[in-house]
Amino acid sequence: MTTTPGRPPVVDQATWQAARDELLRREKAHTREGDAIAAARRRLPMVEFDATVEVTGPDGPVPFLDLFQGRDELVVYKHMWYDGAPHQGQCEGCTSTVWHLKDAVYLNARGVSFAIVTTGPWEEVAPYLAFMGYTQPWYSVRGVDGPAGGEMGYLACYLRDGDRAFLTYATTGRGNERVNGSMGLLDLTPYGRGEAWEEQPEGRPEGRPASSSWRSDADGNAGWGQDTRPVPQWTRPGATPVDTLGRRGHHH
């Protein structure tokens, strides 16, 4: 066995395979526990709410029921919003989540619709969508109470029965990570996410603050300064260096 400082030890194929097989047993146990949790999730009760409440989209006010697009199941991501902020000032965590949800064809094939709602006023949301190139269904739920509106930063699942709608599940925080494929792939790599909270073998690169990869400056340096944007924005036409996030208060 040889070791390079800060990197995994170098071993022969048989030794690597034995270690991999041992880890695989733990991974399979983790998968089975996840299956059991999903089964419990499907057994949760649900809450009925007024599906006729109006939300605002590109065609004006529509009932929340329209978000189902005629299907019986609906997944919604609730995107936080900073009123009056320019594009670079909008929520970096929500941007990361939504960027990984740009296409719902597989959900649709399973009979599930997908939409994004936000508390931002539609006159601010529309130009943001155009800049980001988003094509998912977006709606403003400004002034709409939960379960249709309410707190943002959540994934929520709904079930329709004719003209009736029900909230069946909601999660936030790290519960939103399941749709962020980049996080899942980073968890497979030897250096992980590169965040300070992760347990790392001695000598590995020092971790940065959690979610540091959500924003960067024009040179790709991760950070949270006034000259940063959510990372995907640098791929958009017209994205230029900035000197302010333009945030006047806390998101909602």
Side-chain angles (χ1 to χ4, degrees):
M1 176 186 296
T2 61
T3 302
T4 301
R7 297 189 178 184
V10 180
V11 299
D12 58 57
Q13 179 71 30
T15 302
W16 177 87
Q17 190 64 58
R20 176 67 190 97
D21 290 345
E22 177 59 30
L23 181 59
L24 181 61
R25 283 189 281 274
R26 295 180 62 188
E27 289 178 333
K28 286 185 175 295
H30 182 266
T31 298
R32 288 190 291 270
E33 178 61 16
D35 291 342
I37 292 172
R41 189 180 296 119
R42 292 190 292 272
R43 288 170 171 78
L44 284 174
M46 58 187 184
V47 177
E48 185 169 9
F49 64 98
D50 181 6
T52 66
V53 64
E54 289 190 336
V55 298
T56 302
D59 298 322
V62 297
F64 184 87
L65 200 65
D66 280 16
L67 275 61
F68 285 87
Q69 298 177 321
R71 301 181 179 94
D72 288 341
E73 294 183 278
L74 169 68
V75 175
V76 166
Y77 183 70
K78 297 186 173 185
H79 193 293
M80 296 175 180
W81 195 263
Y82 288 91
D83 283 353
H87 303 326
Q88 69 267 15
Q90 294 307 331
C91 181
E92 48 281 313
C94 290
T95 300
S96 176
T97 299
V98 170
W99 193 258
H100 288 83
L101 286 168
K102 292 192 289 185
D103 196 321
V105 292
Y106 282 103
L107 288 176
N108 297 163
R110 179 57 182 79
V112 180
S113 292
F114 174 73
I116 301 166
V117 302
T118 182
T119 50
W122 187 253
E123 60 270 22
E124 292 185 12
V125 174
Y128 178 73
L129 304 187
F131 171 75
M132 295 298 294
Y134 288 145
T135 58
Q136 317 100 317
W138 278 67
Y139 298 89
S140 171
V141 290
R142 189 80 166 192
V144 176
D145 294 331
E151 293 292 325
M152 297 290 106
Y154 281 77
L155 279 167
C157 298
Y158 303 87
L159 183 66
R160 182 176 71 93
D161 183 3
D163 292 334
R164 301 171 68 190
F166 307 84
L167 172 71
T168 63
Y169 179 73
T171 188
T172 189
R174 293 195 64 187
N176 292 335
E177 286 183 1
R178 64 176 52 248
V179 302
N180 191 326
S182 297
M183 292 292 188
L185 289 175
L186 288 171
D187 285 342
L188 304 182
T189 65
Y191 291 166
R193 303 183 186 191
E195 297 183 350
W197 63 268
E198 293 176 288
E199 189 278 322
Q200 292 279 11
E202 185 177 355
R204 296 294 165 88
E206 183 177 351
R208 298 174 299 191
S211 308
S212 57
S213 61
W214 286 349
R215 300 190 70 91
S216 74
D217 63 19
D219 296 321
N221 300 308
W224 292 80
Q226 296 294 309
D227 60 344
T228 64
R229 288 179 178 271
V231 171
Q233 289 194 8
W234 293 111
T235 68
R236 306 308 305 156
T240 58
V242 295
D243 57 15
T244 178
L245 301 186
R247 294 175 175 174
R248 298 197 295 262
H250 193 267
H251 55 66
H252 59 90

